[in-house]
Structure formats: structure tokens, C-alpha cells
Amino acid sequence: QVQPVESGGGSVQAGGSLRLSCAASGYTYNPDCMAWFRQAPGKERESIADITSGGSAHYADSVKGRFTISRDNADNTLVLQMTNLRLEDTAIYYCACDRKMVAGRFEYKYWGQGTQVTVSS
């Protein structure tokens, strides 16, 4: 089985910061984990950020300027640094790997189990 593993979630106060990691190492097959998603209660899963092999990053408007996606090539991990967290950032955060274009939109072959981020006032 190939499954990325997220870590770093937890509870923080509004305005605080949190760093999420997605471990892609430890597998016989090494997937290319390059995107973060989140899903809040009662809401659809949404794309938050992604980064290409060349280091070009893209962010959803809701997190632009507050979140930073990066790669730790030495550890083969994907990182999401979150700052100035808001109540609406409360969600389960997922990393996704091995992206390809299917029928005009991106699809991902592998997904993590998710890590909970809770932002309180």
C-alpha cells in the first residue's frame, strides 16, 4: 500500500501558526506528494496549495499570503506552514500525491488519512 502520512495538526488560537508535514518516504514506491487539501465539517474538500517539481507554488485565495507550501527534499516530505490562522481554517488537512490531468482537471492517485486542525477564539 502507498499512503502518505500527515502530521503536525492540533489546536491553536486564532492568529497562531501551525506546521503540517506529509511524509512520502518509507515506501517501496516513492510518490510525488505535492498538494494540500482541507475539508471542514459540512463542506466540500477544497484545494489549498500545490507545488510543482520546479518549485512553482499556487494557493487558494482563502489562504494566500498566510500559508506557504514547500518541499523538504532531504526528508522527502511536503510541508505546509500556516500562519495567522482563522476560525474558518478549522478542517481536516490532507496531502495528495501523484497528480495528473484527467478530463481537464487534476486528479491524485494517493491521499493521506488527514490531520485535524482546530482554530479557536
Side-chain angles (χ1 to χ4, degrees):
Q1 292 181 308
V2 176
Q3 185 175 48
V5 178
E6 302 95 341
S7 62
S11 298
V12 297
Q13 291 184 316
S17 300
L18 208 59
R19 182 180 185 272
L20 306 183
S21 295
C22 173
S25 62
Y27 298 104
T28 301
Y29 170 70
N30 184 22
D32 176 27
C33 298
M34 46 76 70
W36 287 97
F37 290 74
R38 69 184 182 186
Q39 188 166 25
K43 299 188 67 176
E44 188 177 45
R45 179 186 293 167
E46 63 175 339
S47 175
I48 299 302
D50 61 72
I51 184 169
T52 67
S53 60
S56 179
H58 178 265
Y59 301 93
D61 288 341
S62 59
V63 307
K64 191 175 299 181
R66 301 187 298 119
F67 292 9
T68 302
I69 187 171
S70 62
R71 299 179 187 270
D72 186 335
N73 291 322
D75 295 336
N76 194 29
T77 58
L78 183 72
V79 174
L80 185 69
Q81 179 65 53
M82 306 184 294
T83 63
N84 192 24
L85 285 162
R86 304 166 179 171
L87 294 179
E88 55 264 38
D89 293 321
T90 295
I92 301 175
Y93 284 71
Y94 302 88
C95 66
C97 315
D98 284 1
R99 186 174 73 179
K100 65 179 180 180
M101 185 72 74
V102 179
R105 66 188 185 97
F106 289 122
E107 298 285 349
Y108 296 84
K109 188 173 184 179
Y110 304 108
W111 294 81
Q113 289 292 306
T115 185
Q116 177 71 50
V117 172
T118 302
V119 184
S120 61
S121 61

